[in-house]
Structures are given as C-alpha cells and as structure tokens.
Amino acid sequence: MIELLRVPSLLTVQDSGRKGYRKLGVPVSGYMDDYSARIANYLVGNPCDAPLLEFLLMGPTIKFNASAVFAVAGDVDVKLNGAPVDPWTSYWAKRGDVLEVGVLKSGLYGYIAFAGGIKCEKLLGSCSTYARANLGRPLSEGDKLTLGYAILTGKEGCRLPEELRPDYSAEEITVGVVLGPDLDHFTEEGVRMFLSEAYTITPESDRMGYRLDGRTIEHSEKGAGIVTGPLVPGTVQVPPNGKPIVMMRDAQTTGGYARIGVVSNAYLHRLAQLRPSFKVRFREMSVEDARNELFKKEKTLEAIRLFLEGRLRAYRIKAGEKSLIALAGKV
Amino acid sequence: MNFKPLGDSGLLISFGEVIDEETNDRVHALAGAIEKAGFEWLVEVVPSYSSLAVIYDAKLIDFEGVKQAIERIEFSAERFEGRLVEIPVLYGGEHGPDLEFVAEYNGLTPEEVIEIHSRPIYRVYFLGFLPGFAYLGGMDERIATPRLEKPRLKVPAGSVGIAGEQTGIYPIESPGGWRLIGRTPLRLFNPSRKPPTLLRPGDRVKFVPIDEEEFKELYKAEWGHEND
C-alpha cells in the first residue's frame, strides 16, 4: 500500500481508457500522454495499460507502507528518502521509504508506475478517472492506494537511456492532422490559415480540450454549426469565433461545431505535453500517412519494451555533436 | 451513405445533415448491424442524429478496408423503437427556477408551460455530450426559449431544461446554460448499473408532473439519501 503525503496538483489514476461506452455519452479518458505512460509501465515490468498515477506539472510525495518497485516518467527531479534518484528508471522502495516527485522542467504531464499496477475498482471497464461522472475522483492528501499483486515480479534497475526519453521542451511543435470531416464549413482561406499559422495553447485548456488562440479561421456560408455529430480525441472544432479547440482524452463524445480536422494519434501525446503559451502548427496528412506514423510510434514503443526486458541491445551512435541510440538484435 | 475519415482510427458515415426520425432509424440500424457483424478490428460505434462514427483499431485495418467491410453490410432501416420511459418531474420552485421566465417569454402561464412540456412523447435520438445525456426530439416550439446569457456554474443532476427548441435532462451535476424548468428524482447515469444509463437511443420519453412529496420519496429510493 502507498499513502499520499502531499498532492500539489491534479493527481489521477489512469489507464489506456474506457472503450465501448461512447454511445452512452461516456468519454474515453485515459492517460493524456500514452507514450510516457506506457514506458513508465514497461520500466516496472507491467503491461502497457496497467493503472498508474498521472500528475499535472508537479508530482506528489508518497510513502510506501510496503515494499514496491516504481518508476517516474517525466523531466523531473525525484528523491527517495531525500536522496536524488533518476526519472525513467525503476527502483525498489522499502516499507517506510518516502518518494518525492518535483516540478516538471518540461512538459505538462508526468507518470508514476508501480510494479503490479494500482489496484482499483474498474468502472465501465477501466480505472481511468473521469471525475465529472463520478468515475473515480482526483486523489488528495491522505489517500491510500493498494498496489497489484505482481509486486515481487517487478524488477529494479531498468533504465531508459537519455537518448530514448521523449523531449517535450520545444516551445513550438508541428503535429499531423487528417483534414475533415466538415471541410465544406470552411473557406479555402480558412483551411489555408489553419495549415499555415502557429496557434497558441491558452490557459483555458484541460484534459477535455486545448483551446487555441491565433489568426481567425474563416467559416464558409454554411457557418460554424453542424448537426451534432461524433467526435474523437484529437478532433479540432472551430466555434463561431474562429479559434480552434483540440479535443483531448476527456472529450465529450459528440459536438455541434464544425470539425476542420483530427490530430493523428501518433502526435496527440506530443500535443498533450505542450504548455499554455507554447505554439502548435498543423500539417496536413493523408489517412494512410497518419496510419504509418502510428505504426512507427508503436514500433518504437515495442522496441523500448523489448530493450527494457533485455531482449534487444542498445547501440550508441555518434552523429556529430549528437549521440543517437539504435535498438537492435537479440542479446 | 457518405464515408469520411475521422482521423486515423475513425470513419464517419453520414446520411446527410438532417434531423428526422427516418434518418435516425437508419443510423441506429446500421450501427446495430456493424456491432453484430463481429469485426475484430471494431472498437466501438458512436451514433448521432444523421451520422455515426466507427472507431477501429488501425493496427488491424485501414480506412479503405473498414469502408469496404461496411459497404458489404446489409441492413434494413426498420422503425427503431425502444421502450417508453416515464420520467417524473417536479416542475417549478427551487428545482425549476426558470419556469416563470419561460412562461413569460412565450406569453404563457407556468401551468401551460408544464402542460405543453409534458404532453408529447419525445424520441431519444442518441446519447452524447455527457454520460447519459439524451438528445430528445419533439419539443413544442411554443415553449422554445433562448439559453441563459451566462451559464450557471452548477446545475444539479436531474435538472430538466430548455435551450432554444431543445429540451433535455442533465444526467450529472455540471455547469450549464439551459433554462431550468424542473427536476427529475431519477438517476440518469449510474456507473454501477448495467447498462449505466437510464435512457438508451431509440427510447421514447414521457415527462410526468409530480409533486414535492413524490419527488422526495423517489429521490431517496433512487439515490439512497435525501436531496440536500
């Protein structure tokens, strides 16, 4: 069991999300950054969708009431009993140990995974927190969480090489987007604007959606309203004011604003980590290209999993100033 | 049928931009047929008024593959009729703070508003927006009223509201800009129930006016505690 001594920000339990209930109006939810979250789980030997902790900007302080293997994913200072330890690395904590997770130096969401996962009641097939509908609730100080049964199988000392850690420091990124389905609700100039301008993440952004600011996107004579239709996370809606909103993991299941495009799932975790005041550009992609990007992301995550399991080796390659890493072969 | 990508893992099928029962029948008939076909790549189907999204596992199939599989599905758009669900509503008072306004705006008495609102049998076109929120069709336009200028920060679960020519019930507590005319003691979304929502697409809804005492009794039975 672990106890939360300090909870400075939004701290929730998340897994890969809720499937099969969207037709009843229940959002998908799940981890905002599936890339970091999955690696956190791999570091402690869990399957990718084991429930873990997601924190916003600042991590919690946790006391272990039993020994457990843990790993923190994020660009953040971590201390175990006051002594610095590395993020992206699995450690064994003993009964009575205290884990302190600091403030993210880059990115917005960090993850703490425990071997065996967090034991929690599955509601509608998932442990993901969607507090608005009482599907879980944000955690607070004093809360105690039970860990899963695989505690003894988790191994410490798994470390993700620095070259393989995601870099969320850029203040401007470009994400791939599949245009449509409501392109006829925009003028050609409006679509051109969407694909050429940089849009700023505003502070009115949360797990439900990221509101963007920038040059106004012009609607056609059909206007901003559509007959209410389905949405998926990544959908970019443009309300009458012409400022786009990207729907995120807690997105409502249907909406009534014209959908100019959908950010590909290969990029959604990257967008999720973009801080308010940072900028995003949208690059048009075909469905086929978006799918290929998705395969690439899956392939990378799979290689990382095999490497952490000791089934692939890492080769360091010097490319000028930069050090790269390639995962290959069998040990 | 018109097929469009909804990102890299979704396909949108549209029957046109209309709100009518015949089109919505086809949406639900096709949604049901897709679910029954047992495709291993199918994640879920999300129906709405005149379109539906098919969410698929892009690791197993591509857009063209999904499109072709759906084009081969045969389905007949029969009249899609679910159950008739009676929803008891305590109109006006603290639970319906905008009833007077809706009456005044439309040149009616509050009693007339209640009568007009509770007379029709509404159709549940689909659920969306919030867990268990039903998009209802069939409200009488004589009680249509614009949304609040400034949405309330907290609308209690069960509140029955009017927004333009729509009427609906807030399934869970949330912010909201609809004009509130009453409240049902029933729970529209309960994650520990199967299915978790009281209403399902295709159901017919009839609002039944009740008094304070009935409200209290039903509320306690439904929620397990008194309404505070």
Coordinates of all heavy atoms in Angstrom, one line a residue, chain A residues 165-198:
Chain A
R165 N 14.6 9.1 -24.2 CA 13.5 9.8 -23.5 C 12.9 10.8 -24.3 O 13.5 11.5 -25.1 CB 14.1 10.4 -22.2 CG 14.7 9.4 -21.3 CD 15.4 10.0 -20.1 NE 16.1 8.9 -19.4 CZ 16.9 9.1 -18.3 NH1 17.0 10.3 -17.8 NH2 17.5 8.1 -17.8
P166 N 11.5 11.0 -24.3 CA 10.9 12.0 -25.1 C 11.3 13.4 -24.7 O 11.5 13.6 -23.5 CB 9.4 11.7 -24.8 CG 9.3 10.9 -23.6 CD 10.6 10.2 -23.5
D167 N 11.5 14.3 -25.6 CA 11.9 15.6 -25.4 C 10.7 16.5 -25.6 O 10.2 16.7 -26.7 CB 13.0 16.0 -26.3 CG 13.4 17.5 -26.1 OD1 12.9 18.1 -25.2 OD2 14.3 17.9 -26.9
Y168 N 10.2 17.1 -24.4 CA 9.0 17.9 -24.5 C 9.3 19.4 -24.3 O 8.5 20.2 -23.8 CB 7.9 17.4 -23.5 CG 7.4 16.0 -23.8 CD1 7.2 15.1 -22.7 CD2 7.2 15.6 -25.1 CE1 6.7 13.9 -23.0 CE2 6.7 14.3 -25.3 CZ 6.5 13.5 -24.3 OH 6.0 12.2 -24.5
S169 N 10.6 19.8 -24.6 CA 10.9 21.2 -24.2 C 10.6 22.2 -25.3 O 10.6 23.4 -25.0 CB 12.4 21.2 -23.9 OG 13.2 20.8 -25.0
A170 N 10.4 21.8 -26.6 CA 10.2 22.7 -27.6 C 9.0 23.6 -27.4 O 8.0 23.1 -27.0 CB 10.1 22.0 -29.0
E171 N 9.2 24.9 -27.7 CA 8.0 25.9 -27.4 C 7.1 25.9 -28.7 O 6.1 26.6 -28.6 CB 8.6 27.2 -27.1 CG 9.4 27.2 -25.8 CD 9.6 28.5 -25.1 OE1 9.0 29.5 -25.6 OE2 10.4 28.6 -24.2
E172 N 7.5 25.3 -29.8 CA 6.6 25.2 -30.9 C 6.8 23.9 -31.6 O 7.9 23.4 -31.8 CB 7.0 26.3 -31.9 CG 6.0 26.3 -33.1 CD 6.2 27.5 -34.1 OE1 6.4 28.6 -33.7 OE2 6.3 27.2 -35.3
I173 N 5.7 23.2 -31.8 CA 5.8 21.9 -32.5 C 4.8 21.9 -33.7 O 4.0 22.7 -33.8 CB 5.4 20.8 -31.5 CG1 4.0 20.9 -31.0 CG2 6.4 20.7 -30.3 CD1 3.4 19.7 -30.4
T174 N 5.0 20.9 -34.5 CA 4.1 20.6 -35.6 C 3.5 19.3 -35.5 O 4.2 18.3 -35.1 CB 4.9 20.7 -37.0 OG1 5.4 22.0 -37.1 CG2 3.9 20.5 -38.1
V175 N 2.2 19.2 -35.6 CA 1.5 17.9 -35.5 C 0.8 17.6 -36.8 O 0.4 18.4 -37.5 CB 0.5 17.9 -34.3 CG1 1.2 18.1 -33.0 CG2 -0.6 18.8 -34.5
G176 N 0.7 16.3 -37.1 CA 0.0 15.8 -38.3 C -1.5 15.8 -38.0 O -2.0 15.4 -37.0
V177 N -2.3 16.2 -39.1 CA -3.7 16.3 -38.9 C -4.4 15.7 -40.2 O -3.9 16.0 -41.3 CB -4.2 17.7 -38.6 CG1 -3.8 18.7 -39.7 CG2 -5.6 17.8 -38.3
V178 N -5.4 14.9 -40.0 CA -6.2 14.4 -41.2 C -7.3 15.4 -41.3 O -8.1 15.6 -40.4 CB -6.7 13.0 -40.9 CG1 -7.6 12.6 -42.1 CG2 -5.6 12.0 -40.7
L179 N -7.4 16.1 -42.5 CA -8.5 17.1 -42.6 C -9.9 16.5 -42.6 O -10.1 15.4 -43.0 CB -8.2 17.9 -43.9 CG -7.0 18.9 -43.9 CD1 -6.9 19.7 -45.2 CD2 -7.1 19.9 -42.7
G180 N -10.8 17.4 -42.3 CA -12.2 17.0 -42.3 C -12.7 16.4 -41.0 O -12.0 16.5 -40.0
P181 N -14.0 16.0 -40.9 CA -14.9 15.7 -42.0 C -15.7 17.0 -42.5 O -16.4 16.8 -43.5 CB -15.9 14.7 -41.4 CG -15.8 15.0 -39.9 CD -14.5 15.5 -39.6
D182 N -15.7 18.1 -41.8 CA -16.6 19.2 -42.2 C -15.9 20.3 -43.0 O -16.2 21.5 -42.7 CB -17.2 19.8 -40.9 CG -18.0 18.8 -40.1 OD1 -18.7 17.9 -40.7 OD2 -17.8 18.8 -38.8
L183 N -15.0 19.9 -43.9 CA -14.3 20.9 -44.6 C -15.2 21.9 -45.4 O -14.8 23.1 -45.6 CB -13.3 20.2 -45.6 CG -12.0 19.8 -45.1 CD1 -11.1 19.4 -46.3 CD2 -11.3 20.9 -44.3
D184 N -16.4 21.5 -45.8 CA -17.3 22.4 -46.5 C -17.8 23.5 -45.6 O -18.4 24.4 -46.1 CB -18.4 21.6 -47.2 CG -19.2 20.7 -46.2 OD1 -18.6 20.4 -45.1 OD2 -20.3 20.3 -46.4
H185 N -17.5 23.5 -44.3 CA -18.0 24.6 -43.4 C -16.9 25.6 -43.3 O -17.0 26.6 -42.5 CB -18.3 24.0 -42.0 CG -19.7 23.4 -42.0 ND1 -20.7 24.0 -41.4 CD2 -20.1 22.2 -42.5 CE1 -21.8 23.2 -41.5 NE2 -21.4 22.1 -42.2
F186 N -15.8 25.5 -44.1 CA -14.7 26.5 -44.1 C -14.4 27.0 -45.5 O -14.6 26.3 -46.4 CB -13.4 25.8 -43.5 CG -13.7 25.3 -42.1 CD1 -14.1 24.0 -41.8 CD2 -13.5 26.2 -41.0 CE1 -14.3 23.6 -40.5 CE2 -13.8 25.7 -39.7 CZ -14.2 24.4 -39.5
T187 N -13.9 28.2 -45.5 CA -13.5 28.8 -46.8 C -12.1 28.2 -47.1 O -11.4 27.7 -46.2 CB -13.4 30.3 -46.8 OG1 -12.4 30.7 -45.8 CG2 -14.7 30.9 -46.4
E188 N -11.7 28.2 -48.4 CA -10.4 27.8 -48.7 C -9.3 28.6 -47.9 O -8.3 28.0 -47.4 CB -10.1 28.1 -50.2 CG -10.3 26.8 -51.1 CD -10.2 27.1 -52.5 OE1 -9.1 27.7 -52.9 OE2 -11.1 26.8 -53.3
E189 N -9.6 29.9 -47.8 CA -8.7 30.7 -47.0 C -8.6 30.2 -45.5 O -7.5 30.2 -44.9 CB -9.2 32.2 -47.1 CG -8.4 33.2 -46.3 CD -6.9 33.3 -46.7 OE1 -6.5 32.8 -47.8 OE2 -6.1 33.8 -45.9
G190 N -9.8 29.8 -45.0 CA -9.8 29.3 -43.6 C -9.0 28.1 -43.4 O -8.2 28.0 -42.5
V191 N -9.1 27.2 -44.4 CA -8.3 25.9 -44.3 C -6.8 26.3 -44.4 O -5.9 25.7 -43.7 CB -8.7 24.9 -45.3 CG1 -7.9 23.7 -45.3 CG2 -10.2 24.6 -45.1
R192 N -6.5 27.2 -45.4 CA -5.1 27.6 -45.6 C -4.5 28.2 -44.3 O -3.4 27.9 -43.9 CB -5.0 28.6 -46.7 CG -3.7 28.7 -47.4 CD -3.6 29.9 -48.4 NE -3.8 31.1 -47.6 CZ -3.0 31.8 -46.9 NH1 -1.7 31.3 -46.7 NH2 -3.3 32.9 -46.3
M193 N -5.3 29.0 -43.7 CA -4.9 29.6 -42.4 C -4.6 28.6 -41.4 O -3.5 28.6 -40.7 CB -6.0 30.5 -41.9 CG -5.7 31.4 -40.8 SD -4.8 32.8 -41.3 CE -6.1 33.8 -42.1
F194 N -5.5 27.6 -41.2 CA -5.3 26.5 -40.2 C -4.0 25.8 -40.5 O -3.3 25.4 -39.5 CB -6.5 25.6 -40.3 CG -6.5 24.4 -39.5 CD1 -6.4 24.4 -38.1 CD2 -6.5 23.1 -40.1 CE1 -6.3 23.3 -37.4 CE2 -6.4 21.9 -39.4 CZ -6.3 22.0 -38.0
L195 N -3.7 25.6 -41.7 CA -2.5 24.8 -42.0 C -1.2 25.6 -42.1 O -0.1 25.0 -42.3 CB -2.7 24.0 -43.4 CG -3.8 22.9 -43.3 CD1 -4.0 22.4 -44.7 CD2 -3.4 21.8 -42.4
S196 N -1.3 26.9 -42.0 CA -0.1 27.7 -42.2 C 0.3 28.5 -40.9 O 1.5 28.8 -40.7 CB -0.2 28.6 -43.4 OG -1.3 29.5 -43.2
E197 N -0.7 28.8 -40.1 CA -0.4 29.7 -38.9 C 0.0 28.8 -37.7 O -0.3 27.6 -37.6 CB -1.6 30.5 -38.6 CG -2.0 31.5 -39.6 CD -0.9 32.7 -39.6 OE1 -0.5 33.1 -38.6 OE2 -0.6 33.0 -40.7
A198 N 0.7 29.5 -36.8 CA 1.0 28.8 -35.5 C -0.1 29.2 -34.5 O -0.5 30.4 -34.5 CB 2.4 29.3 -34.9

